[in-house]
Amino acid sequence: MTDALVQLNDVRCTRGSFELHIPEWTVRPGEVVGLVGPNGVGKTTLLRILAGIDPADSGQVSVLGMNPVLHFIDVRSRCAFMSDEQPVFTMRIAKLLRLVSGYYPTWDAAHVEALLARFELDPMANTATLSRGQGTRLRLLMAMAFRPELLILDEPGTGLDLAGRRELLKSVIEVAGTGDRSVIISSHQLGDIERICDRLLVLNDGQVLRDGTAEELIADGQSLEDAMFGWGAA
């Protein structure tokens, strides 16, 4: 069996009176996994643990075969994390991309040019003048520019219009389409999740409510939104 890109075992993380508990979870190459659930159930906490930003209090966390906190640089040179809340330096886009490219051995300049065109970003524009949607597209571009083995997206469609979300979905499918890379995406756009994700992890009150393929979890003729209402996770 192919080595997992993500492997969690009995992971716990406490924030005040809230505790996130993931008994066991695996993400394998080629999968697009949707992380869904109401606000405040631990989705962002889980993604930040995977990205090595925050440590788990206990349990085992393996991302690309490494502990993402202890081996932060090694993990993040192969794993991208994108959130719409990430700060961006104030400078021209082209200068920012040159600056960031030095941190990633696998940075693909030709891919960046294609993404600039796809996301309709002017490399000479100053980041301070970008609209919210343009800022979101720039963050997505930087996350995908070095062709990461694992792409972690936390509410990536928040600032995007319908056309922007369509390009995002196409890009996500392309990332996982090679079969050796995976995407984990958290979003309240359930229609988008339903369209592109082949696996789901459903959280509620810090607990895993459902974990499996979309085909297993969503009945014929049922939408993901309907299913979540039925599970009490809407």
Side-chain angles (χ1 to χ4, degrees):
M1 186 175 287
T2 308
D3 289 340
L5 297 183
V6 172
Q7 181 69 58
L8 272 58
N9 295 100
D10 197 23
V11 169
R12 295 178 185 271
C13 184
T14 302
R15 296 287 183 270
S17 60
F18 173 82
E19 182 186 65
L20 172 69
H21 179 216
I22 310 293
E24 185 176 4
W25 188 45
T26 302
V27 178
R28 299 198 174 279
E31 293 184 329
V32 180
V33 183
L35 180 58
V36 294
N39 288 330
V41 298
K43 301 188 298 296
T44 294
T45 298
L46 174 56
L47 296 183
R48 289 174 63 89
I49 289 172
L50 296 178
I53 299 169
D54 296 328
D57 295 325
S58 61
Q60 296 180 323
V61 180
S62 173
V63 177
L64 302 170
M66 296 173 280
N67 182 307
V69 173
L70 298 180
H71 303 280
F72 182 82
I73 293 176
D74 290 335
V75 169
R76 291 297 292 275
S77 67
R78 298 164 54 194
C79 164
F81 173 78
M82 180 267 171
S83 165
D84 209 34
E85 304 301 318
Q86 286 173 309
V88 174
F89 291 118
T90 300
M91 59 182 68
R92 293 190 186 276
I93 290 176
K95 183 177 180 180
L96 176 63
L97 295 177
R98 284 196 301 273
L99 177 68
V100 174
S101 68
Y103 292 95
Y104 299 99
T106 58
W107 187 272
D108 188 334
H111 187 44
V112 168
E113 288 299 319
L115 289 173
L116 283 168
R118 167 177 283 189
F119 292 152
E120 299 181 341
L121 291 170
D122 178 2
M124 299 311 295
N126 192 295
T127 58
T129 67
L130 300 180
S131 67
R132 185 178 183 188
Q134 289 171 325
T136 297
R137 296 199 296 271
L138 176 59
R139 291 174 179 87
L140 283 168
L141 183 153
M142 290 192 292
M144 293 187 285
F146 62 102
R147 297 191 181 275
E149 295 169 53
L150 180 65
L151 178 60
I152 300 172
L153 303 174
D154 188 11
E155 293 292 344
T158 303
L160 298 177
D161 57 17
L162 183 59
R165 284 191 5 241
R166 186 177 296 118
E167 291 303 321
L168 162 64
L169 299 183
K170 286 163 60 177
S171 299
V172 166
I173 291 169
E174 288 170 8
V175 168
T178 62
D180 56 352
R181 297 180 289 161
S182 292
V183 181
I184 302 171
I185 177 169
S186 169
S187 176
H188 285 97
Q189 302 285 349
L190 298 182
D192 292 348
I193 292 289
E194 195 170 358
R195 272 193 288 281
I196 64 171
C197 294
D198 42 42
R199 293 191 64 86
L200 298 171
L201 183 71
V202 186
L203 298 182
N204 198 33
D205 295 328
Q207 304 294 314
V208 175
L209 197 60
R210 295 287 190 279
D211 176 20
T213 67
E215 195 172 67
E216 292 170 341
L217 300 179
I218 304 173
D220 288 343
Q222 188 181 44
S223 68
L224 175 56
E225 184 176 12
D226 293 336
M228 289 182 65
F229 269 109
W231 301 328

